Amino acid sequence: MKQFWANQSDDPYTLKKISEKDILKTEKKLGVKLPQEYKNLVLEQNGGYLECNAFPTDRPTSWAEDHIQFDHLLGIGKKEGILESDYLIKEWGLPKDIILISGDGHSWVALDYRNTIENPPVHFFDLETEEDFKIADSFNEFISKLYIDDSDDSEPDLEGLDPEDYELTYISPDDPDAITKDEVNRIFEKNNEELFSNLKLFPIQNYDDLIWLLKKIETHTNSTNDVDGALELGLVLDTVATYKKNLILENKESLETFKSIISNLNRLNDSDVEIIVNQLEDFIE
């Protein structure tokens, strides 16, 4: 049998080792039977990057004319694992009763349990083209057709690049989609979960902007019991932390406020919120 796992060091998709008992608990929680081939693989290594990186398709996708990318397989776990599926399904508007096994937000590969609880086919979901189609009748067939595609050489060479030499660009006040403090206040006053995602459009130009927004989120999460709204605010905080991590960590007040928001979200005791909380906690470890 050819090598399946790439065995990379510091692989973000490789989770802690699991047992057959852990798999049984997972199947009970999900209410489905996982493919035996999948279970064999995650017992060997619980998720990770693969030796192969592509799967052939008979139709063009947003990825390529004749294949999709498949360079990692999600293991069993809440973060970067298949137990994150429910949260990601809600976040990306995917159908229920599927289990995501790989993806990046714009496209996903999933075990499709919409019409069965065992032996699921494998489906590809392309959010850019709004397509959902079967790519294999079984997981075993799917992994048997994986191959190495080396045709894409468009990725930039980042060797030797110091992270301090570049900075992620946050939304600018000049951006036509940017919102003002007054608009932020109105969003919180309306208390509409569908509007909370727009808070990502508030331009944070300095520390005063950052702490002002964090305090707004802290106040709201301290008093709300609305799980959906709290989840949206958690996603906003995740975006802010991605772009402004150093600014948060370098100042005691912002760091304590960030921790306070995490505590407020934890109070809701919701499995979906717990996933985003785990991601937020990673920023301050």
Side-chain angles (χ1 to χ4, degrees):
M1 181 179 178
K2 64 182 180 181
Q3 178 73 27
F4 186 79
W5 301 108
N7 295 320
Q8 295 185 9
S9 60
D10 300 323
D11 187 335
Y13 294 110
T14 299
L15 310 180
K16 67 178 182 179
K17 192 171 181 62
I18 59 170
S19 65
E20 292 185 2
K21 185 177 180 180
D22 294 320
I23 292 177
L24 288 173
K25 288 181 179 178
T26 299
E27 289 181 318
K28 183 177 181 180
K29 181 175 183 178
L30 295 174
V32 300
K33 187 173 179 62
L34 295 169
Q36 187 59 49
E37 297 82 4
Y38 174 82
K39 292 188 283 189
N40 292 342
L41 287 170
V42 296
L43 282 171
E44 177 186 336
Q45 178 181 306
N46 192 17
Y49 280 110
L50 314 180
E51 281 291 307
C52 297
N53 64 357
F55 180 87
T57 59
D58 57 5
R59 66 175 81 181
T61 68
S62 60
W63 182 260
E65 288 294 317
D66 60 357
H67 70 275
I68 60 171
Q69 182 185 43
F70 193 89
D71 61 357
H72 67 275
L73 176 67
L74 297 179
I76 292 178
K78 289 184 177 180
K79 184 180 179 184
E80 305 295 1
I82 63 172
L83 293 177
E84 196 174 14
S85 289
D86 283 349
Y87 158 71
L88 292 171
I89 285 169
K90 291 179 181 178
E91 171 67 8
W92 294 100
L94 293 162
K96 296 180 180 180
D97 299 322
I98 63 173
I99 294 178
L100 304 176
I101 58 174
S102 190
D104 63 359
H106 300 289
S107 61
W108 297 93
V109 176
L111 302 175
D112 185 5
Y113 286 97
R114 285 174 288 186
N115 297 308
T116 185
I117 60 171
E118 60 181 341
N119 301 320
V122 181
H123 271 238
F124 176 68
F125 297 87
D126 193 328
L127 300 188
E128 291 188 19
T129 59
E130 299 183 344
E131 287 187 290
D132 162 10
F133 58 90
K134 184 171 69 174
I135 53 178
D137 289 326
S138 68
F139 182 75
N140 188 41
E141 177 193 344
F142 176 74
I143 61 174
S144 71
K145 293 182 178 179
L146 293 174
Y147 70 99
I148 298 175
D149 173 66
D150 55 8
S151 62
D152 183 10
D153 58 359
S154 61
E155 292 188 6
D157 182 8
L158 299 180
E159 184 176 358
L161 184 62
D162 188 335
E164 295 184 358
D165 292 339
Y166 65 93
E167 181 179 358
L168 293 171
T169 303
Y170 200 61
I171 189 167
S172 163
D174 299 326
D175 192 300
D177 292 326
I179 63 175
T180 65
K181 285 187 176 181
D182 286 341
E183 289 173 302
V184 170
N185 285 328
R186 284 196 290 271
I187 288 173
F188 279 111
E189 288 169 2
K190 291 181 179 179
N191 193 21
N192 185 335
E193 67 186 64
E194 295 180 358
L195 297 178
F196 284 150
S197 62
N198 292 335
L199 296 174
K200 299 174 185 176
L201 302 177
F202 173 67
I204 298 175
Q205 297 298 292
N206 50 47
Y207 179 73
D208 288 340
D209 290 338
L210 172 68
I211 194 63
W212 182 82
L213 181 60
L214 291 181
K215 289 293 185 182
K216 287 287 183 182
I217 296 175
E218 179 189 31
T219 299
H220 188 86
T221 55
N222 185 50
S223 59
T224 187
N225 290 312
D226 175 21
V227 170
D228 291 333
L231 182 60
E232 287 298 328
L233 289 174
L235 293 170
V236 170
L237 191 61
D238 183 70
T239 298
V240 172
T242 298
Y243 287 90
K244 302 296 180 180
K245 177 179 178 179
N246 290 339
L247 195 58
I248 292 172
L249 298 181
E250 291 170 359
N251 294 274
K252 182 178 180 180
E253 183 182 18
S254 57
L255 179 57
E256 291 304 314
T257 305
F258 191 88
K259 291 179 178 179
S260 174
I261 297 170
I262 291 176
S263 178
N264 291 341
L265 295 175
N266 257 329
R267 174 180 56 81
L268 297 174
N269 195 29
D270 177 81
S271 58
D272 289 336
V273 175
E274 181 184 358
I275 292 171
I276 193 66
V277 164
N278 289 337
Q279 294 177 198
L280 294 173
E281 288 175 337
D282 284 345
F283 282 106
I284 57 177
E285 286 184 351

